[in-house]
Amino acid sequence: MSSTKNVVGWFEIPVANMERAIKFYETVFDYQLSRHQMGPLDMAWFPWQDDPDAAGCAGSLVYHKDFYKPSDNGTLVYFISPSGDLQNELSKINDAGGKVFVEKIQISPTHGFMAVFYDTEGNRVALHSLK
């Protein structure tokens, strides 16, 4: 069985302080997150297209005192650069309270560039762009 869809359907990034995390991601990526209280879960959803054929997947920052803990060595989520050149977003990381871990490097001429950073919560997160 083969599929033309991406295999990831949703991601969640654990946070310890929702206000701080929202400010960080909104500052770095220049978009608004939508905050939702869902019982004991406090979530801030990243913008997405409600289209099953859209590239990428939707996701959220998430806080729950018992079930989610930020980590610097767990699953690595790659954000697609909204500007088209990840250096633009990478240049905002330190001022927004994060820390650049791996500067922009080329993966290959075909696959573009990547970088890795730590967010304000201590999560290791990556960026990708073709430029």
Side-chain angles (χ1 to χ4, degrees):
M1 177 160 123
S2 79
S3 172
T4 59
K5 307 261 187 225
N6 290 322
V7 298
V8 175
W10 181 260
F11 66 87
E12 295 178 344
I13 299 175
V15 304
N17 181 307
M18 186 59 80
E19 288 79 17
R20 177 178 62 204
I22 289 171
K23 182 177 180 189
F24 174 80
Y25 282 94
E26 288 183 343
T27 298
V28 170
F29 292 111
D30 290 325
Y31 47 57
Q32 295 297 118
L33 279 72
S34 174
R35 193 165 182 181
H36 303 270
Q37 291 289 146
M38 303 176 78
L41 290 175
D42 186 5
M43 303 182 88
W45 300 345
F46 290 94
W48 76 86
Q49 294 180 11
D50 194 13
D51 175 356
D53 295 320
C57 71
S60 178
L61 300 177
V62 62
Y63 172 82
H64 185 286
K65 69 181 183 85
D66 297 322
F67 298 130
Y68 290 88
K69 303 288 183 235
S71 173
D72 64 351
N73 59 9
T75 302
L76 185 59
V77 174
Y78 277 76
F79 280 87
I80 297 169
S81 165
S83 72
D85 181 348
L86 68 83
Q87 189 59 50
N88 294 320
E89 291 78 25
L90 198 66
S91 69
K92 300 175 188 177
I93 300 290
N94 291 334
D95 287 345
K99 182 179 180 197
V100 175
F101 179 60
V102 176
E103 294 286 347
K104 180 179 178 180
I105 58 171
Q106 186 174 40
I107 302 166
S108 75
T110 312
H111 293 97
F113 297 85
M114 58 86 62
V116 181
F117 64 92
Y118 293 110
D119 68 9
T120 54
E121 307 308 293
N123 294 300
R124 184 178 56 123
V125 184
L127 283 163
H128 177 263
S129 66
L130 293 177
K131 291 199 249 178

